[in-house]
Amino acid sequence: MVDVAAALDVLVPSAEYRGCLTGNTQAEFDTLIWEDARPKPSWEAIESADITPKLSKSERLRLAYQQLPVEKRVKYGAIMVQAKIFLEQGDSEAAAFQLSRLVVSQDEEPLKQAFIHIVSH
């Protein structure tokens, strides 16, 4: 899932437009009223925009978590919420500690390490 507003901000900083982007859909993007003098980016540009540098650690963690299959989101939900709370309080070390407590299978260990990396860097 792409964060359309964040992608727009990366591609056309402080762009002027009107419309709803809460669903982050192409249909919403297509119906935006573009009021900026700069050209409106294509949907393909929106989808490929690297918004990671613009996002907080908490938002990057949320996006990574949302990409998990439902069964893993259920499995890791409580610890992810705790990690996000610590991040929002500015305590990356506590967030990394919470994530280090995840009990995962050997094949899920790279995922766990990726989450720890997100909150630590």
Side-chain angles (χ1 to χ4, degrees):
M1 182 167 90
V2 63
D3 184 332
V4 178
L8 275 172
D9 196 45
V10 165
L11 297 169
V12 187
S14 303
E16 295 182 29
Y17 58 89
R18 288 185 288 138
C20 177
L21 294 173
T22 57
N24 289 307
T25 66
Q26 183 176 358
E28 288 176 344
F29 175 75
D30 289 343
T31 60
L32 283 180
I33 299 168
W34 193 255
E35 299 176 337
D36 204 278
R38 298 165 290 179
K40 180 180 177 183
S42 67
W43 178 250
E44 292 75 24
I46 293 294
E47 287 185 307
S48 63
D50 183 8
I51 63 169
T52 306
K54 290 272 189 185
L55 298 176
S56 68
K57 290 179 182 180
S58 181
E59 282 297 303
R60 288 187 304 196
L61 183 64
R62 180 186 62 79
L63 286 175
Y65 175 71
Q66 285 180 336
Q67 294 174 15
L68 293 175
V70 172
E71 66 275 3
K72 289 188 180 176
R73 288 195 311 255
V74 170
K75 181 178 177 181
Y76 305 145
I79 290 179
M80 297 299 279
V81 167
Q82 291 173 359
K84 190 171 185 230
I85 290 168
F86 283 118
L87 280 176
E88 289 170 355
Q89 294 171 349
D91 194 343
S92 295
E93 189 175 312
F97 174 74
Q98 285 298 323
L99 292 171
S100 73
R101 296 179 51 221
L102 282 174
V103 176
V104 298
S105 65
Q106 188 173 358
D107 63 320
E108 293 173 327
E109 187 62 28
L111 174 66
K112 174 180 167 179
Q113 293 307 315
F115 285 149
I116 292 171
H117 180 78
I118 288 169
V119 302
S120 299
H121 295 92

